[in-house]
């Protein structure tokens, strides 16, 4: 896939899938703005890897829960890269909690960061791109959890919302040459699933997939690069499942 000359903003780029997407984009020829909440050292180390590939990288701290600051994040990314035409909505949180113990605070925090921020960052990005007269693409991370998941009513709801948001954005942004798609990763070998499961529990989940293994962040990133690239020009409003063949009830 080819991203030469493209300018990409990745949220939550300090680790995991976000880090993998940023590095894969640079290898495909893109300059990359790396957003992080914490983990500045890790993000700066990633920026060094990208510049070693001959691409430009800028490191941008921002809290996705601060919705009013998201247009500024877009402006800083565009300013640092000399333009912006691609967005990967990746930052998110996943506090495990049983539904009967759910608090309004946890619900609101999860929906704000995982869904509301995706919408308003994409809005700011699209407005920037429309004003600059270019075309572009948005990729947002949803999840296997959209089917429903234990201790995850809040998280599954936020990720299900991303599916509807993506389809709606695709409809409204298509006239401006902006595509919007989503990726639903399965059980990926990153830190995130380990916050809520033991290694034995994860092995049981992996055994229930057709692949019988963890997915890698790089495999999710490869799908993201495809969706962001011109090769996916006829793919819009879709959710691509990268889960090793997971069909949990």
């Amino acid at each position: 896939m080819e991203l030469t000359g493209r300018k990409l903003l990745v949220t939550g780029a300090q680790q995991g899938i976000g880090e993998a997407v940023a590095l894969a984009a640079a290898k495909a020829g893109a300059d990359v703005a790396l957003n992080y909440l914490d983990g500045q050292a890790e993000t700066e180390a990633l920026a060094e890897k990208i510049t070693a590939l001959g691409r430009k990288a800028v490191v941008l701290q921002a809290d996705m829960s601060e919705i009013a600051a998201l247009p500024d994040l877009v402006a800083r990314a565009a300013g640092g890269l000399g333009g912006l035409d691609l967005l990967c909505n990746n930052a998110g949180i996943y506090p495990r909690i049983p539904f009967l113990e759910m608090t309004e605070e946890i619900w609101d925090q999860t929906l704000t960061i995982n869904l509301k921020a995706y919408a308003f960052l994409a809005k700011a990005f699209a407005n920037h791109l429309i004003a600059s007269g270019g075309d572009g693409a948005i990729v947002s991370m949803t999840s296997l959890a959209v089917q429903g998941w234990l201790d995850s009513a809040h998280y599954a709801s936020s990720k299900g919302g991303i599916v509807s948001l993506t389809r709606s954005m695709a409809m409204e942004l298509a006239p401006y040459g902006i595509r919007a798609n989503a990726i639903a990763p399965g059980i990926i070998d990153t830190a995130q699933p380990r916050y809520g499961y033991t290694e034995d529990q994860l092995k049981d989940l992996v055994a229930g997939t057709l692949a019988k293994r963890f997915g890698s962040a790089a495999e999710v990133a490869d799908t993201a690069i495809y969706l962001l690239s011109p090769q996916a020009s006829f793919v819009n409003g879709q959710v691509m499942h990268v889960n090793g063949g997971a069909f949990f009830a």
Side-chain angles (χ1 to χ4, degrees):
M1 275 72 75
E2 181 64 44
L3 293 181
T4 299
R6 294 293 193 167
K7 317 289 185 180
L8 168 66
L9 169 60
V10 182
T11 65
Q14 71 273 17
Q15 64 178 345
I17 291 172
E19 178 184 10
V21 170
L23 193 57
K27 290 177 179 177
D31 296 328
V32 191
L34 308 169
N35 159 255
Y36 73 98
L37 173 62
D38 46 30
Q40 180 177 353
E42 293 89 339
T43 312
E44 289 177 346
L46 174 59
E48 290 177 3
K49 292 179 183 178
I50 290 172
T51 55
L53 293 169
R55 308 313 313 165
K56 181 182 287 187
V58 294
V59 175
L60 303 171
Q61 196 281 337
D63 185 340
M64 291 297 108
S65 69
E66 297 179 1
I67 303 300
L70 297 181
D72 179 65
L73 175 59
V74 169
R76 287 190 288 147
L81 297 179
L84 190 66
D85 49 18
L86 302 174
L87 170 64
C88 179
N89 267 324
N90 169 75
I93 61 171
Y94 190 176
R96 271 69 166 187
I97 186 169
F99 178 65
L100 293 179
E101 298 174 18
M102 180 69 63
T103 66
E104 186 176 0
E105 180 182 8
I106 290 175
W107 178 274
D108 288 347
Q109 181 187 37
T110 303
L111 271 290
T112 295
I113 294 172
N114 291 7
L115 179 57
K116 186 176 181 180
Y118 278 39
F120 283 88
L121 183 60
K123 176 190 172 186
F125 165 80
N127 280 326
H128 163 81
L129 194 51
I130 291 166
S132 65
D135 61 2
I138 301 166
V139 169
S140 299
M141 295 297 165
T142 178
S143 171
L144 176 65
V146 296
Q147 67 180 3
W149 209 259
L150 288 172
D151 299 336
S152 304
H154 54 317
Y155 180 78
S157 296
S158 70
K159 293 300 184 177
I162 290 168
V163 173
S164 298
L165 171 65
T166 296
R167 291 171 179 163
S168 297
M169 289 193 301
M171 292 175 184
E172 296 203 33
L173 298 179
Y176 301 99
I178 303 172
R179 295 180 297 107
N181 292 289
I183 299 173
I187 303 164
I188 307 302
D189 192 10
T190 64
Q192 193 250 51
R194 291 182 168 84
Y195 293 141
Y197 295 104
T198 66
E199 287 299 316
D200 286 342
Q201 288 172 322
L202 286 172
K203 288 177 182 178
D204 287 343
L205 287 171
V206 166
T209 70
L210 300 182
K212 309 298 182 187
R213 65 172 176 84
F214 286 99
S216 71
E219 287 172 310
V220 180
D222 286 344
T223 303
I225 300 310
Y226 166 68
L227 291 173
L228 292 167
S229 75
Q231 283 80 9
S233 61
F234 201 54
V235 182
N236 201 5
Q238 303 304 307
V239 179
M240 298 193 71
H241 294 264
V242 183
N243 62 24
F247 305 104
F248 301 118

